[in-house]
Structures are given as structure tokens and as C-alpha cells.
Amino acid sequence: MTTSHHPIAIVGAGLGGLTLARVLHVHGIPATVYEADPFAKSRTQGGQLDIHEDDGQRALADAGLTEEFRAIIHEGAEASRVLDQHGKLLFDAPDDGMARRPEVLRGDLRRILLDSLPDQTVQWGHKVTGVRPLGDGRHELTFADGSSVTSRLLVGADGAWSKIRPLLSDAEPEYTGTTFIDTYLYDADERHAATAEAVGVGAMYALTPGKGIIAHREAGNILHTYVELNRSAEWIAGIDFTDVAAATARVAAEFDGWAPELTALITDGETAPIARLIHTLPDGHRWGRVPGVTLLGDAAHLMPPSGDGANLAMLDGAELGKAIAAHPDDVEAALTAYEEALFPRTEPFYADAHDMLDLCLGDRAPFGFIDLFDGDPQEQR
């Protein structure tokens, strides 16, 4: 197969990579996004995200998509409540209507970004199998179908297990000791009334040291659950998640004695449980300047989930796009400006992410987590 050339190649059609492509498009700069998925809706895109004013919303403004973003907000979803394992309400923060961190579905957010790009910007079914430097800041990508492409600017927006990161850094993700397990309930109010009442209209947290159940009410009367367990990777590997009934029973057994309206989020799950081992890059991960290549989002600064990951990825994409637009004829100047701002901007979030895990599952759970809400609950979510 022949090798084509694209001046700006972005690997990964997640929120960060798409934001970069959109901001470049706003500035009249073409880019091509290479994505392993065969098409846009080939897999679900995860749950609800709260989009923050100072990063995610700012990035969407730079992308010219504020109006489209406002149209997909799940109204009322900023409400939060904390229960104990017996279902007793410990804390309740209604949605105050201010929408400072409005909730949207990740899939809806990705859709408005995709719809804002010219046709053929995203090249689906392009799984990267190799990447090599060619000198002078140029790189060659090779794909699973045997095709290849060269670039003068390569951006790794390809997540935790980035194929581009090794060009810049020897760092590898490490398991944090915590695993999230996803389940869903549909038609919740009609079919799972007691559980729907326990969850409420927004987010519900039932937390104890070492384990917890978090559920979000999503648009369409859906309850999306994240079971959180501090367990070894070996313990998780010992569960056969291809055997749905056995895996469900094994996870539910960790919550023996909990209120049935809470354990129903596991036992009544209407999709196969999916285990997501939580990994992190070293705190404050950074790299030296390598000509023609950089990273954004989880590829650059993977950390435990704390509500900031998607927001930071979109801000990375917007800031990189603006840096390229400011230095259209000098790739190295653009990448230097971007990285010099990126590293100090993201470093404090590592500590915040580790602290959030500890507040949710550490020795003081759930009361350390409740302390977050003191003063201004919406600011602490």
C-alpha cells in the first residue's frame, strides 16, 4: 500500500483529539484524526460528565460550540446525595439551577464535536500498529490494514495506553489498586422504583472504606453504576467477566448486608459488568521537547478519575490548537508554548485525583467525602 502525507496527524478520536481538530478547523487549519474504532457509534462512550467552567466549557467556547453544548445539558443532574450502606441519607445537595458544572453524556458531547468537523476529518478503522521518526520532526504511522501516513506534526490523543507516548517518555501506567465496575439499569423509575428513589435525580454515593457504590441518573431514565473496590489486580483477574451471572454474584458478594435497593444496582444490572482497572502515570508526568510530536489528555497525564479528565483533555486540545494557530509556520514554537503551559497546569490535578480516591474509599469514608461539600456543594463536585 502507498504512504500518504498529512501535515497534522492526530491519533485518537476522543474528546481531546476532536477538540483539537475542531479548534484547528475554526482557525482554517486542516488536520486528520486517525481512530481505531470502525465507525463513530461502534461502542458506547461512557457515562455522564460534569463540564467545568474553567477548562471544559472554556475549550468548547474556543471551539465555537457553546450553543450546541447548552442544548445537550441534562437539567437537574447536578444534585448529589450520600447514603450509608444501609440506605440512610447522610447528605443531600439539590441542584440549585446555577449549572456551573452541568452534566452531559460523553456520547452527546463527542457527537457535537464530530458533527462540527468536515467530512473525512476522522479516518475510522485506522488502528495504529507502529510509529517511527523520520527525522526533521516528521513521523510515519503504520496501521493494521497495512497503510501508512507521514506527518510533520503528530499528536498522541490516544489515551492511557498511547502508542505515541513512547516517542516522548518511558513512563508507563501503573495500577492504583482500585477498580471500577460498570453496570446499568434501564427504565429505572418503573422497573427499579426503590433503587431509583435511593439514587435520586442526580448522583448518589454510598461509600465505606475500601468499597463503594456510585450511581448517576442519566437522561432517558437510566441509572449508571460504578462499583468501586480496592482490590489487587490478581483478585480482579480471578473473576471471569465473560460469565455474567458468576461475575455479578462475585461482585455483589462484596456488599453482603448492604441495603437491597443499593445492591440491586449490581444484581439487577441489565448489561454485563465491565471491570475498569484504574491506572495512573507518575505524578507530574512530563517529557523533554521532541521535534514534531506531543501528547494531550490521558496520553499526557493519566490519573485516577476525579471529574477532571475529560475537561483537561478538551482544554489541552483547545490550547494546542490555539498554539498551532499562533505559530502556523513554526511547529516547534507551537509545541514549546503548549508544553510549557501544559505541565504546570496539569501537575496539581494528580494530587487532587489521589485525594479524591482516598476520600471515597479511605479510612474516613464516607465522611471525608461529605466534607468536600461544605460551603459550596456545586464547587466541590
Side-chain angles (χ1 to χ4, degrees), residues 153-189:
L153 170 52
L154 174 62
V155 182
D158 49 342
W161 307 102
S162 172
K163 295 290 184 64
I164 309 305
R165 188 191 300 124
L167 293 171
L168 296 154
S169 168
D170 294 331
E172 296 183 357
E174 295 185 356
Y175 178 51
T176 63
T178 299
T179 291
F180 289 6
I181 299 166
D182 284 31
T183 65
Y184 284 86
L185 298 183
Y186 300 111
D187 300 321
D189 290 319

Side-chain angles (χ1 to χ4, degrees), residues 106 156 158-162 165 169 171-176 276-287 295-306 308-310 312-313 316 342-343 346-347 349-351 353-354 357:
R106 182 186 290 267
D158 49 342
W161 307 102
S162 172
R165 188 191 300 124
S169 168
E172 296 183 357
E174 295 185 356
Y175 178 51
T176 63
R276 305 187 189 281
L277 280 70
I278 305 304
H279 288 75
T280 184
L281 285 169
D283 290 0
H285 176 241
R286 59 179 64 201
W287 55 88
L295 306 171
L296 61 76
D298 283 350
H301 43 71
L302 177 68
M303 59 189 76
S306 60
D308 293 304
L312 291 177
D316 291 350
L342 170 72
F343 299 141
T346 56
E347 185 168 359
F349 287 92
Y350 284 90
H354 292 298
L357 267 188

